[in-house]
Amino acid sequence: QVQLVESGGGLVQAGGSLRLSCVASGSILRIDIMGWYRQAPGEQRKLVASLGSGSASYVDSVKGRFTISRDNAKNTVYLQMNSLKPDDTAVYYCIADVIANTDRYYKRSYWGQGTQVTVSS
């Protein structure tokens, strides 16, 4: 009953920008950490950025270029991606650690379906 839906992916030239959005919906009591993973062809899924109540963290390769933010009132997390590089090409997945109203004693991770980001050289 909890769903995460990503949007904002697409094709962009190197040096361009995209903003990804992820909206969580359903019987949500509380969302703790939200973040973004990405998976390039032939590679494992890798954490790109995460944001809890205290601070944001980023993988070294995107520091200074990507910014993660949240709108807690809308249960939404964003990933602003600037100065995109071809190496950023991947499917980007949203993740959220959620306590649902239907099970208030158990926190679990939910994943979005992914949105494709392609950066041309």
Side-chain angles (χ1 to χ4, degrees), residues 11-37:
L11 175 64
V12 65
Q13 291 184 342
S17 298
L18 288 172
R19 190 177 79 155
L20 306 183
S21 299
C22 173
V23 181
S25 62
S27 299
I28 298 170
L29 177 65
R30 190 177 83 238
I31 301 177
D32 290 330
I33 297 174
M34 300 187 79
W36 292 92
Y37 281 72

Side-chain angles (χ1 to χ4, degrees), residues 4-116:
L4 274 60
V5 179
E6 302 103 330
S7 62
L11 175 64
V12 65
Q13 291 184 342
S17 298
L18 288 172
R19 190 177 79 155
L20 306 183
S21 299
C22 173
V23 181
S25 62
S27 299
I28 298 170
L29 177 65
R30 190 177 83 238
I31 301 177
D32 290 330
I33 297 174
M34 300 187 79
W36 292 92
Y37 281 72
R38 68 186 183 189
Q39 187 169 23
E43 299 183 2
Q44 293 184 333
R45 193 171 298 184
K46 185 177 182 180
L47 180 65
V48 177
S50 63
L51 181 61
S53 61
S55 62
S57 62
Y58 303 90
V59 68
D60 286 344
S61 60
V62 308
K63 288 181 179 177
R65 300 188 298 118
F66 290 11
T67 302
I68 186 171
S69 61
R70 292 172 65 167
D71 186 339
N72 291 329
K74 298 179 180 179
N75 288 333
T76 301
V77 63
Y78 305 94
L79 186 66
Q80 178 67 47
M81 304 184 294
N82 299 325
S83 301
L84 283 162
K85 304 175 181 179
D87 286 347
D88 297 319
T89 296
V91 178
Y92 285 71
Y93 298 91
C94 176
I95 187 170
D97 293 339
V98 177
I99 299 176
N101 281 314
T102 53
D103 190 359
R104 300 190 178 192
Y105 300 97
Y106 184 70
K107 181 166 65 177
R108 59 171 289 187
S109 296
Y110 291 86
W111 292 88
Q113 294 299 305
T115 183
Q116 176 71 49

